Amino acid sequence: MTLKFHNTLTNQVDEFVAQNNGKVTIYTCGPTVYDYPHIGNWASYIYWDVLIRILIANDYEVNRVINITDVGHLTSDADEGEDKLEKGAKREGKTAWEIAAFYTEDFMNGMKSLGMIMPQHIAKATDYIPQQLDMISKLKSKGFTYQISDGIYFDTSKFTRYADFAHLKLGSQMAGARVEFNPEKHNNSDFALWKFTPTGEKRDMEWATPTDLLDNQTDDAIMGFPGWHLECSAIIMALLGETIDIHTGGIDHIPVHHTNEIAQSEVANGVRLSNYWLHSNHLKINGSKISKSLGNGYRLDDLAQKGFSPLDYRMFILQGHYRNEGNFTFEGLQSAKNRLHNWRNIATLRHQTHDTIQSDNDRNTNDKTVSTYATSRAIIEAIDDDLGTPEALRIIDEAFSRINSASLANINQQALINLLETIDSTLGLQLMSSTPDITDDAKRLILERNHARTQKDWSRSDKLRDQLLSTGIIVRDTNSEVIWEYKD
Ligand code: AMP
Ligand code: ZN
């Protein structure tokens, strides 16, 4: 079994080799906490959660950081415009700190509702200001920074590999420069490490610029705040070290944000920032980009209002591959919801079958027991292969359809439990925890109904079935047996 990922650094699918045997350090660029995330934002976190799960399934000990951008992300990635947090604060009549706290909590709740494994560290940019200033100081001492009227910038022309990661054509970037190009910058691609609070303004989030970072000493402190890219480099360095195993983000991060992270970290530390870079593609909605003006930036709450749970959405996302552009439609979400419902009903069979039959290992070739022994392996192999979730789902459907058409007597309870455990641990769909056994009372009603049926007392049998239905349980009569399922 080989774990493989498409690595943006090499532009090919590479076998994964951790730098420290059995241990993985991994960093995910997290949310800017100025507003609610839309479902497109969540898509990538769902894929990265599967990444964590497949690393664990491969026996790696995972040390993972997600950062929270709570300062410095400007409305334009080119270091111009307003700080998104300060803008959110004005919109809601709160401080930037209150906005950050509110949307950070909302993000954490979203993570929980989507069944994500929590990272070892959630790191807020504002908690790492000294580390960010240290990094600027290192870059300054190596001659890679310069100061202009609105801040301290990284001189990308001095980092000769700057264009390599994203295969940038810097000349054409220059030609395409729009109004946001700051004429004081030495190169269009130069980016802010530290921005000064504009004279006469007071920001909610600002820190005194250490005087040794400034060209000229002043009596009054010059207040400022970090540029967006710097936090990731400083947090990685502080919590995971100079070189990490895996770095993840959205494809939009490649040309600017990750390119800049690489420039800062690799100049400051003199070693490679990350051995593997994974990037997820974007989600469209009904074929259109997600945008405020189209009003299509659905949130998890919007889906809930239409009757779809976060796990229905998780199933929808897993149906696509992380490197392909996704297209969200409510019909697609409905079919994901149906699929999850059917899978849950297969999961309930573990309460209705018994381990009286032989185990998978010593069954004879004539018996009709459904074998799922190989299925768990196949699911893991599909995900091992560059997070092949669509293939994993296909394998599960195939196994479940065999189980569905088997009689209860031919389903090995322990084998089914093992399969469900594999699905839950790798895909996080919570099939087991969402399908508890029914109560003893409900079981008694089912037995009474079976008895009424054998007595051909149809009216009593129908009454009992309705009674069960009112508690959310459907009884289904097959040729030879009665199976219960959840209504929804
Ligand atoms: P934003 O809040 O717009 O800066 O988005 C934060 C991050 O979410 C981006 O950097 C992307 O990586 C990701 N993202 C934004 N829009 C989408 C989308 N439509 N589909 C998937 N990911 C997205
Ligand atoms: Zn980042």
Side-chain angles (χ1 to χ4, degrees):
M1 130 178 118
T2 322
L3 193 51
K4 290 181 280 187
F5 304 124
H6 181 273
N7 187 356
T8 307
L9 198 59
T10 57
N11 198 23
Q12 62 183 21
V13 176
D14 288 333
E15 181 179 339
F16 177 68
V17 182
Q19 47 184 340
N20 288 316
N21 211 2
K23 294 189 176 178
V24 178
T25 45
I26 172 165
Y27 184 86
T28 297
C29 292
T32 305
V33 283
Y34 68 109
D35 206 342
Y36 295 104
H38 57 61
I39 56 173
N41 301 133
W42 283 120
S44 56
Y45 297 110
I46 294 172
Y47 290 125
W48 306 143
D49 185 59
V50 174
L51 169 62
I52 297 300
R53 290 168 181 277
I54 198 65
L55 288 166
I56 295 171
N58 280 271
D59 295 327
Y60 284 105
E61 186 188 311
V62 174
N63 189 10
R64 182 194 193 192
V65 178
I66 296 186
N67 71 305
I68 299 282
T69 299
D70 57 357
V71 65
H73 193 171
L74 305 189
T75 45
S76 144
D77 283 355
D79 302 317
E80 303 294 326
E82 253 184 296
D83 184 317
K84 290 185 181 188
L85 267 290
E86 303 267 338
K87 189 177 171 195
K90 277 189 209 147
R91 180 187 68 219
E92 299 187 20
K94 296 180 180 163
T95 67
W97 294 102
E98 286 166 340
I99 290 290
F102 179 84
Y103 290 109
T104 301
E105 191 183 341
D106 177 74
F107 176 74
M108 298 310 291
N109 290 338
M111 290 280 286
K112 276 183 218 131
S113 72
L114 284 160
M116 312 282 202
I117 293 181
M118 285 298 158
Q120 283 63 32
H121 310 272
I122 295 275
K124 296 178 187 173
T126 51
D127 285 340
Y128 290 83
I129 299 296
Q131 290 84 345
Q132 295 179 68
L133 289 167
D134 274 355
M135 193 163 259
I136 301 174
S137 169
K138 254 192 195 169
L139 296 172
K140 186 171 193 295
S141 69
K142 294 189 176 190
F144 280 79
T145 66
Y146 62 90
Q147 184 179 330
I148 55 177
S149 56
D150 73 349
I152 301 169
Y153 282 72
F154 184 100
D155 186 340
T156 55
S157 68
K158 294 202 169 151
F159 182 53
T160 50
R161 292 188 284 111
Y162 184 76
D164 293 0
F165 181 67
H167 310 289
L168 298 175
K169 293 195 176 61
L170 292 177
S172 68
Q173 238 197 6
M174 197 66 146
R178 290 178 294 154
V179 277
E180 56 202 20
F181 179 60
N182 177 342
E184 282 187 74
K185 288 202 310 193
H186 297 181
N187 309 283
N188 190 25
S189 51
D190 293 353
F191 56 92
L193 296 163
W194 189 257
K195 294 271 284 192
F196 302 136
T197 304
T199 327
E201 270 184 35
K202 165 100 186 73
R203 290 169 45 96
D204 289 335
M205 295 175 164
E206 57 181 7
W207 295 264
T209 314
T211 49
D212 60 341
L213 294 185
L214 295 168
D215 288 346
N216 299 308
Q217 308 300 318
T218 53
D219 290 337
D220 291 331
I222 296 188
M223 304 305 284
F225 58 98
W228 169 40
H229 319 292
L230 186 60
E231 67 188 66
C232 293
S233 288
I235 291 170
I236 289 172
M237 177 66 194
L239 294 175
L240 300 175
E242 292 181 341
T243 300
I244 58 172
D245 292 299
I246 306 177
H247 196 309
T248 71
I251 46 169
D252 56 305
H253 288 144
I254 300 171
V256 180
H257 181 57
H258 287 168
T259 288
N260 293 349
E261 277 187 39
I262 289 172
Q264 295 162 155
S265 294
E266 300 194 0
V267 168
N269 300 327
V271 293
R272 187 195 266 178
L273 173 57
S274 179
N275 289 331
Y276 297 83
W277 290 81
L278 274 65
H279 290 101
S280 58
N281 209 321
H282 275 189
L283 183 74
K284 286 191 166 175
I285 297 197
N286 283 318
S288 301
K289 274 186 81 160
I290 300 181
S291 87
K292 276 226 163 77
S293 56
L294 291 173
N296 63 2
Y298 300 122
R299 292 157 27 190
L300 291 176
D301 279 353
D302 296 320
L303 304 190
Q305 273 173 18
K306 292 182 192 279
F308 297 102
S309 72
L311 291 176
D312 294 336
Y313 181 63
R314 186 178 176 104
M315 176 66 110
F316 173 81
I317 288 302
L318 296 179
Q319 293 181 165
H321 190 261
Y322 79 99
R323 297 195 61 225
N324 293 338
E325 189 174 85
N327 187 34
F328 176 87
T329 60
F330 277 103
E331 296 77 54
L333 182 58
Q334 181 62 52
S335 77
K337 181 185 171 78
N338 296 345
R339 196 177 199 175
L340 184 57
H341 181 72
N342 293 338
W343 285 18
R344 284 182 178 150
N345 279 329
I346 296 289
T348 64
L349 296 179
R350 75 189 187 282
H351 303 303
Q352 305 177 61
T353 182
H354 302 282
D355 246 346
T356 48
I357 52 175
Q358 296 132 307
S359 82
D360 260 16
N361 294 337
D362 52 27
R363 67 208 200 92
N364 72 47
T365 46
N366 293 328
D367 85 32
K368 298 198 180 66
T369 313
V370 183
S371 171
T372 52
Y373 183 70
T375 308
S376 292
R377 203 54 267 136
I379 293 167
I380 291 180
E381 276 171 14
I383 306 174
D384 274 350
D385 187 4
D386 199 21
L387 306 185
T389 55
E391 174 64 6
L393 267 52
R394 194 195 59 71
I395 291 165
I396 296 165
D397 270 341
E398 205 178 84
F400 280 3
S401 114
R402 279 185 286 128
I403 291 173
N404 209 24
S405 50
S407 85
L408 280 179
N410 287 329
I411 301 171
N412 181 317
Q413 184 184 48
Q414 193 53 48
L416 176 57
I417 290 173
N418 292 350
L419 174 58
L420 295 169
E421 278 171 351
T422 301
I423 296 170
D424 280 347
S425 64
T426 52
L427 297 173
L429 288 165
Q430 303 181 1
L431 295 181
M432 304 263 272
S433 60
S434 62
T435 55
D437 201 356
I438 51 175
T439 62
D440 286 346
D441 277 352
K443 286 180 188 166
R444 193 173 39 74
L445 290 179
I446 292 174
L447 289 176
E448 275 178 36
R449 178 175 170 274
N450 291 352
H451 183 67
R453 274 165 56 85
T454 49
Q455 306 278 303
K456 300 202 185 330
D457 184 348
W458 306 121
S459 82
R460 179 156 172 72
S461 149
D462 284 354
K463 224 174 110 204
L464 287 162
R465 187 180 50 202
D466 291 346
Q467 200 178 337
L468 282 157
L469 193 59
S470 70
T471 64
I473 296 161
I474 297 175
V475 278
R476 199 157 57 79
D477 305 310
T478 71
N479 284 342
S480 55
E481 57 207 3
V482 177
I483 291 174
W484 62 260
E485 294 178 344
Y486 295 109
K487 187 153 137 265
D488 41 38

